[in-house]
Amino acid sequence: MSTATDAHHDEHHDAPSGWRRWVFATNHKDIGTMYLVFALTLFFVGGAMAMVIRAELFQPGLQFVDPGFFNQMTTMHALMMIFGAVMPAFVGLANWMVPLMVGAPDMALPRMNNWSFWILPVAFGLLLSTLFVSGGAPAAGWTMYPPLVLQTGDAFPFLIFSVHLMGMSSIMGAINIVVTIMNMRAPGMGLLKMPLFVWTWLITAYLLILAMPVLAGAVTMLLTDEYFGTSFFNAGGGGDPLMFQHVFWFFGHPEVYIMILPAFGIVSQIIPTFARKPLFGYDSMVYATASIAFLSFIVWAHHMFTVGMPLAGQLFFMFATMLIAVPTGVKVFNWMTTMWRGSMTFETPMLFAIGFVFLFTIGGFSGLMLGITPADFQYHDTYFVVAHFHYVLVPGAVFAIMAGVYYWLPKWTGHMYNEKLGKLHFWLSAIFVNVTFFPQHFLGLAGMPRRIPDYATQFADFNMVSSIGAFVFGASQLLFVYIIWSCVRGGEKASQQVWEGAEGLEWTVPSPAPHHTFEVAPEVK
Ligand code: HEM
Ligand SMILES: [Cu+2]
């Protein structure tokens, strides 16, 4: 492998500076940084809403907010976290790392890349502005089921428009990633030599291209039902509200895999580095990812077991859902086997990666429980579902993102972060994520419904524990910001390879990675 990067090359290029550098950015590293900063910002906006929710649920009865506002908070929290925090964070990591990992000088379509990013602040500005319009923000859940969602006040068209914008941004970003990976790999990098993060993002990009237009269609039909006299989802006009749920979840289930496949990729980079062993079962990891992606399109109705479905349908969706546990099990097995008898060290990225493997698996098991159709009749729309998806999304997706940030931060900034504080951040997060979400399983099994501001007194104790966990978890994330901030400002100089066991093209360029890399493509042997 050769490196074709001159650090001094940077200065006499037409790299714009000041605000122009960011507004007109076409460089994948600048755009990656903007995505990451945006995601972190919305993580805190969405997080603040979660704190409102947990404050209200601290005790039975209504204390802080009225039920209408409570529903706005749950809905906006989910929309912000899914479309504003987790997805843009993954896209930011892809922007930064995919070109570096495949030995490309930039993304294939840099100007479109600029649009993909800048659409997002507009979309979320619009969505947040609905907190101040008559009728308040959307309050029908992130699933936007009719007929309830059609009772949204003035926020309704803003909701639809911002969902359209988020979708456009995602589709453009996905096209960019596919084209970059397919066309711009360094000579010698065959498909089955690509790092797993690149593989999982390639597959995720296809999921995005297939799934996002379905969401766009669904919400457009809502829009015409509301304003143009159609009756897609209105039984009175010959439509069917259940049809919305089918279309929504045909998008929605792949969407949850859009939020986990890149996480699989990140931990598949990190575990081999800190176990100082190559990833066990590389090929099977690729095939497992592809199988999960395929299966994610044929299980949507497991979100709708309780709506009244023919028995054959229920059985099909139950078995198809449980099938996903097989490739998921292959992945968990391979991560464990990579660690088996490795020379492990436990720097912060590795801690988050191991936390991911354990806690994501709990989410997988509760998913299996939900996938058992007759059992789901008991759990559906209870806090058990809330516990399930928070285990896959917080110690799953979010921990993987944090692992990736700690892993690549020295490459981005040229400085090592504060390892002591990083470890403290991990342990606080790992402990309090469980204090927050584990009791919610029991609340759900005992029958506490989701999306309600008040509850029976029998649920009081576990709710209080959950709220305390949430407050400490939330506060711990301020530490994350401080660690990143001080790492950007300075610190011990990072070497080119950064981590002793790290392998791949991104570790052959200087730290910080210069503005332009790989102007001459490196050769992969
Ligand atoms: C073995 C893997 C999994 C299985 C078998 C599974 C199964 C299920 C089932 C059956 C439900 C519906 C429960 C109900 O509404 O009664 C559900 C909900 C959910 N799952 Fe999973 N799941 C798995 C993995 C994941 C992953 C990887 C994610 C995201 C990263 C995820 C995110 C969600 C979300 C967000 C919901 C709630 C959606 C909503 O109603 O708002 N799941 N899961
Ligand atoms: Cu699903």
Side-chain angles (χ1 to χ4, degrees):
M1 268 177 227
S2 76
T3 320
T5 313
D6 301 327
H8 69 260
H9 221 92
D10 269 8
E11 287 108 58
H12 53 250
H13 247 278
D14 53 344
S17 55
W19 61 271
R20 285 167 187 278
R21 169 173 176 187
W22 304 104
V23 173
F24 302 129
T26 51
N27 183 286
H28 72 101
K29 301 182 181 87
D30 287 347
I31 294 176
T33 302
M34 290 198 291
Y35 265 110
L36 289 167
V37 171
F38 179 82
L40 188 60
T41 310
L42 280 198
F43 180 59
F44 278 93
V45 176
M49 293 167 175
M51 296 300 106
V52 174
I53 294 167
R54 283 319 316 176
E56 182 53 56
L57 294 177
F58 190 76
Q59 281 186 349
L62 295 176
Q63 281 89 30
F64 299 107
V65 294
D66 61 79
F69 189 71
F70 183 90
N71 288 340
Q72 295 172 32
M73 286 293 103
T74 52
T75 302
M76 293 287 274
H77 161 72
L79 291 169
M80 299 281 148
M81 287 303 196
I82 293 170
F83 296 106
V86 173
M87 290 170 71
F90 280 139
V91 179
L93 293 174
N95 259 293
W96 249 105
M97 300 317 296
V98 166
L100 284 181
M101 287 178 155
V102 302
D106 206 319
M107 296 290 281
L109 307 161
R111 284 181 199 280
M112 189 167 84
N113 209 10
N114 175 291
W115 275 92
S116 302
F117 173 75
W118 278 111
I119 284 174
L120 283 183
V122 178
F124 284 91
L126 278 178
L127 192 56
L128 277 168
S129 74
T130 62
L131 283 164
F132 307 101
V133 304
S134 128
W142 79 285
T143 53
M144 302 175 280
Y145 284 176
L148 181 59
V149 74
L150 300 174
Q151 295 165 26
T152 308
D154 290 353
F156 184 72
F158 290 86
L159 169 68
I160 305 298
F161 187 41
S162 61
V163 170
H164 279 150
L165 288 174
M166 292 167 203
M168 284 162 61
S169 162
S170 299
I171 291 168
M172 291 195 293
I175 290 173
N176 220 338
I177 287 169
V178 170
V179 182
T180 305
I181 297 173
M182 292 316 237
N183 291 340
M184 295 179 70
R185 272 171 291 130
M189 184 175 280
L191 284 177
L192 282 174
K193 279 190 183 169
M194 298 194 310
L196 255 146
F197 181 66
V198 177
W199 253 118
T200 53
W201 243 118
L202 179 64
I203 293 171
T204 303
Y206 278 106
L207 286 186
L208 279 164
I209 293 167
L210 289 169
M212 295 308 293
V214 179
L215 174 66
V219 299
T220 306
M221 288 189 276
L222 285 178
L223 192 77
T224 62
D225 270 9
E226 176 81 353
Y227 295 115
F228 300 100
T230 58
S231 302
F232 289 111
F233 308 127
N234 172 11
D240 180 0
L242 273 188
M243 185 53 79
F244 179 86
Q245 299 192 16
H246 281 291
V247 183
F248 180 87
W249 285 114
F250 189 76
F251 145 80
H253 189 79
E255 167 66 19
V256 308
Y257 281 91
I258 288 166
M259 293 191 287
I260 207 66
L261 295 187
F264 291 169
I266 295 168
V267 299
S268 302
Q269 301 297 132
I270 292 175
I271 291 177
T273 296
F274 296 96
R276 292 165 181 77
K277 270 175 67 191
L279 185 69
F280 183 88
Y282 172 95
D283 289 17
S284 65
M285 283 303 225
V286 173
Y287 300 136
T289 312
S291 316
I292 291 173
F294 168 75
L295 290 171
S296 76
F297 280 102
I298 58 163
V299 299
W300 74 90
H302 66 206
H303 295 270
M304 306 163 57
F305 283 140
T306 59
V307 301
M309 228 192 295
L311 188 62
Q314 300 191 15
L315 286 171
F316 172 81
F317 286 108
M318 171 165 80
F319 288 126
T321 299
M322 310 239 297
L323 221 50
I324 298 190
V326 177
T328 310
V330 168
K331 298 201 136 255
V332 174
F333 178 82
N334 286 351
W335 290 320
M336 308 282 278
T337 314
T338 306
M339 289 189 271
W340 176 253
R341 298 195 166 163
S343 311
M344 288 209 281
T345 51
F346 299 94
E347 287 87 343
T348 311
M350 184 62 160
L351 289 177
F352 273 101
I354 295 174
F356 170 93
V357 174
F358 276 92
L359 300 177
F360 170 78
T361 304
I362 295 183
F365 281 134
S366 61
L368 264 178
M369 292 171 71
L370 288 165
I372 299 168
T373 310
D376 183 64
F377 275 75
Q378 169 85 359
Y379 316 140
H380 181 70
D381 266 342
T382 70
Y383 249 80
F384 190 85
V385 177
V386 179
H388 157 65
F389 67 73
H390 282 92
Y391 265 90
V392 282
L393 288 172
V394 185
V398 173
F399 271 27
I401 290 164
M402 287 171 172
V405 169
Y406 282 111
Y407 185 53
W408 288 308
L409 200 53
K411 179 56 66 187
W412 301 336
T413 63
H415 306 293
M416 299 305 287
Y417 59 85
N418 184 326
E419 190 65 66
K420 270 211 182 74
L421 288 183
K423 288 195 167 116
L424 179 66
H425 174 224
F426 168 75
W427 285 110
L428 285 171
S429 301
I431 291 168
F432 287 97
V433 86
N434 286 296
V435 176
T436 309
F437 296 117
F438 207 73
Q440 295 182 358
H441 291 112
F442 304 117
L443 287 169
L445 293 177
M448 176 172 156
R450 66 192 278 208
R451 296 173 171 162
I452 44 91
D454 187 11
Y455 49 81
T457 47
Q458 54 167 330
F459 305 127
D461 294 347
F462 279 5
N463 268 300
M464 189 176 288
V465 173
S466 179
S467 288
I468 292 170
F471 298 146
V472 184
F473 180 85
S476 314
Q477 304 318 311
L478 297 170
L479 197 54
F480 187 46
V481 179
Y482 173 76
I483 296 168
I484 295 174
W485 177 246
S486 40
C487 180
V488 173
R489 298 279 307 269
E492 190 195 322
K493 283 259 168 294
S495 69
Q496 186 168 298
Q497 197 190 5
V498 182
W499 311 108
E500 189 194 42
E503 273 175 45
L505 291 176
E506 75 266 40
W507 309 108
T508 65
V509 304
S511 308
H515 202 63
H516 295 282
T517 42
F518 303 124
E519 278 168 349
V520 178
E523 284 247 14
V524 180
K525 293 196 185 74

